[in-house]
Each structure stands twice: as structure tokens, then as C-alpha cells.
Amino acid sequence: MSEGLTFIATCDLVALTRGRSIRSTEYPERRATGVGWVPADLALTTFGDIASPNPFGSLGDLRLLPVDSARITLPAGGGRPATELVLADTVEPDGTPWACCPRTALVGAVAALETAGIRIVASFEQEFSLAGLAGEPGAASPFSIEAHRLAEPFGSELVNRLADAGLEPETWLPEYGQAQYEITLKPTDPVTAADRAILVRALVRDLALAHGLRASFAPLRSPDGIGNGTHIHLSLWDSSGRPITIAPGGSELTSMAGSFGAGILEHAPALIAWTAPSVISSLRLAPHRWSAAAAFVGHQNREAMLRLCPLITLAGADPGASANVEYRAADATANPWLALAAILRAGLDGLVRRLPSPTIVDRELEAIDSSERERLGIGTLPPDMESAHAALEADATAVAWFAPDLVATHLAIRRTELAILAVASAEERCQRYASVI
Ligand code: GLU
Ligand code: MG
């Protein structure tokens, strides 16, 4: 009988999980030195080409150093043996963190917030579409038991495997779109939450394949279709473990959380370049899509970039524990480590500068005219990728969140993708992304 393999991987700038494997029996002795990696791998586009020019060329060597806590088993099935998947930090051959390691960027953002006395708890909600379901997906209504049953046994297997792997699944649901589903995990520290978001995608795609299905997390599979979002929930805690997201009374942010939110709104256009980074991402960030139609904090509003989520007080539940805001302007073309790192850096900037709390908008966006939007501080989001890039390049604070080579590679990749898709229609662009993401 052949031995199992362990795939040691990073998640790159186009949110694909790439790496190489070793014999699992050798994992204990290889953990400390990892496996080899190549800097220019970071410049791979969604479609498999290396963006050129990029800062690395053919030079350099790195190591992928596995992180034991970020590990999952992709189960045996369809004639394939099980594979252990473990995420890694990218380091120089001497163990120094690589300046462009996306995971290390998040570790750094979390540490910077901790230095400012803030601890963040986060969780990712991920939507995706399943192609190839037997029966009639069109006949199963949104959120219905029929839509739930249509995806069985895939759904229960997914939830059980996530639970067995310690990834703490919370809810599994049939979403609004045809054959669209969503998996949410319990909140945890930011690095673990982002690790888990990456592992969930890998497990969903792998299980789908084993069931003869194809999962796509692409923000849109067609321009007029229902979008797949990756929503990121955040709560703030002080260094002694007290929740500090919502002020007593329940409808206002604390001054700390207000400054944090104001930082996110101020850097919103640049943030989009990290959290909704692909050529098609902006198509999803439009009104009536329940994604994020503008940059504002909305009270329980699903068109807000930041949604103030409800406090759960049922059955004597501690409202402080459920208080959180949801960042809705992210999708699965974004690297979860970098998307969250950028959000945290933007929030930290707001905290450091003690920005005043944004107005919490408690009405439908549609009901607010442009002059009132201005008065309420409701900002617009970049209409397309080029505008998001321009906003990032014009935001000196945001450009400095990550290593210059990381930023340059990120921009080069997406520009290359735009060139690849230059003559493609919006429909074709969505299909191209959906065939990979
Ligand atoms: N599908 C929506 C999106 O693209 C989100 C729907 C919801 O869960 O509120 O973000
Ligand atoms: Mg949803």
C-alpha cells in the first residue's frame, strides 16, 4: 500500500493554494526546514501565467515552513488517496520571514493592533456555487430544505469534515442563488480565521470533485448572476478580554471601534484593491446585490461596506459576545491573509489618528440622495479594477502596509489578467474566473 503525502502550501496573490508535497512519514523531520519555493511563484496569475515584468524574475530561493495548526485532510475518494494539506509561512533559506509572505503580513497587522491594545476576533463567511448537482437546481427555492437536500451528501460531509478537522463550522445554508451555498465558521483569532478560510476553500473544491460536482467561489459566474461574497466579521476586544465593539445601549460603536471603522472607510477605495481585487470583482459591488454598494457603516444593512450586525440577547445571551461588524466588500479572488491584513491596517490607522466615528446609516441606501450621502459621509467605491489600483497607488498610507515587491507583484498580476481578458466580454471574463476560482 502506498504512503500518504503531505502538501505544504502557501495561498498566493490570486488566492490559489500552491505548494509541493513530501511523504507524510517524513513530515515530523521536515517540519523545521520545510520545502523549497520560488519567489516568482508569487507572480502567477489566476490563469497560470507568470506576470511579467515582476520583481523576482528567475532568481532566488525560499522555503515554505509548515504551520502545524493550519492543517486539514483532503479525504480519499474517486480513486485518489487522502492528502494532508498544511499551510505554510514563506521564509528565506535561513528562516528569516520573507518580506512578501502574505501570512506573515497578517501576523504583523495583528501584532501592530495588539501593541495598540486591541485584540481582534474574526470569522469568514464564504459563498460558492455548485455545478453538476443531480435533479433540478432551478426548481429548488432559495434557502429551502429542497435546496439543502439537493446538495446532500456533500453538505453534511463538508460540515462533518470541518468539525473533525477542528475548523469549527457554524452554519451551512442554501443561499439565494441557484445552487449557491454558504459555509460559516465560528469566530477566532484573525490568523486562524484566515487560515481556515483558505482550508475551507480547498476542502470544498476537493469534496465537490469527489462528488462529481464543481465548486466555484468566483464573485460572479455571469455579470447578471447572483454574486458569491466572502464576508469578514470582526469584533474588537481590549487587552483584558472585554468586548469593545458596541457601546452600552447597543446601537453605537465605541469610540475605539468608531475610529477603527472610520479608518476602513477612509481607505475604502485602496482596500478594494486588496479585498475585491480581480478584473470582475467590481461588478459585484453594485446596488441591489447585497454585497457593498458604497462605503458606509449601515445598521443591519446588507448594502453597506460595513454592516453593524445585531446583538443577540435571546435566552440571556451576553450581547457583548455577539457584537460585531461585517466587512462585505470582499470576494474569493482575494487572499484571505492579505484581505484581512489590509482591513486591520486601515482600522489601525483610524485608531492611531483617533478618527471620529462614522455616522451609522439606518436607512436604505436607495432612499438617500447624493447631497445627503455627502453629509452622512457615504463614500463611493471604485467602479472598476483600474480605479481601485489608482486609488491604492494614490494612498501613501495604504501602499506602505505591505512590502513594495508585494504591492508591485499584486498590481502586475492583475494588470496581466486585464490584458489577457482585454477583448473578452463581461460574460466571458466571469466564466474565465469561475473556471478557476
Ligand atoms: N451574495 C451576496 C454577496 O455577493 C451576499 C448575500 C448575503 O449573504 O447577505 O455578497
Ligand atoms: Mg450569504
Side-chain angles (χ1 to χ4, degrees), residues 34-48:
V35 292
W37 197 239
V38 177
D41 290 346
L42 192 72
L44 279 159
T45 70
T46 307
F47 312 116

Side-chain angles (χ1 to χ4, degrees), residues 84-167:
E84 294 291 309
L85 168 63
V86 56
L87 301 180
D89 287 319
T90 313
V91 299
E92 304 279 358
D94 67 358
T96 315
W98 187 39
C100 295
C101 169
R103 190 172 188 275
T104 304
L106 177 56
V107 171
V110 171
L113 268 162
E114 279 178 4
T115 305
I118 305 286
R119 214 164 51 77
I120 299 287
V121 169
S123 108
F124 285 68
E125 285 183 6
Q126 305 205 68
E127 295 172 339
F128 59 93
S129 314
L130 281 177
L133 289 171
E136 266 190 273
S141 219
F143 318 115
S144 69
I145 178 65
E146 288 76 16
H148 169 91
R149 295 291 292 168
L150 203 62
E152 287 293 68
F154 169 89
S156 43
E157 220 174 287
L158 172 65
V159 173
N160 285 315
R161 293 210 175 266
L162 289 171
D164 291 348
L167 267 59

Side-chain angles (χ1 to χ4, degrees), residues 371-416:
S371 63
E372 202 185 353
R373 284 188 192 196
E374 204 175 322
R375 195 174 55 73
L376 293 170
I378 299 177
T380 55
L381 294 176
D384 51 36
M385 193 187 82
E386 299 96 301
S387 316
H389 282 192
L392 173 60
E393 287 175 309
D395 184 336
T397 305
V399 164
W401 290 335
F402 303 125
D405 282 353
L406 179 71
V407 178
T409 308
H410 175 65
L411 295 174
I413 287 173
R414 298 304 181 176
R415 281 176 187 142
T416 303

Side-chain angles (χ1 to χ4, degrees), residues 278-334:
S278 71
V279 175
I280 60 167
S281 291
S282 299
L283 296 174
R284 179 182 147 263
L285 303 179
H288 307 298
R289 286 191 169 277
W290 287 20
S291 53
F296 66 102
V297 183
H299 182 72
Q300 299 177 12
N301 185 334
R302 289 174 182 76
E303 297 220 310
M305 185 179 199
L306 284 176
R307 177 172 79 108
L308 205 55
C309 297
L311 299 182
I312 314 296
T313 51
L314 265 167
D318 171 11
S322 60
N324 74 94
V325 290
E326 178 186 35
Y327 182 94
R328 299 177 66 85
D331 68 49
T333 60

Side-chain angles (χ1 to χ4, degrees), residues 203-230:
L203 182 62
V204 164
R205 291 185 176 119
D206 190 77
L207 268 187
L209 210 59
H211 285 276
L213 306 169
R214 197 176 167 278
S216 172
F217 292 80
L220 284 170
R221 286 183 307 153
S222 86
D224 302 323
I226 305 291
N228 288 315
T230 294

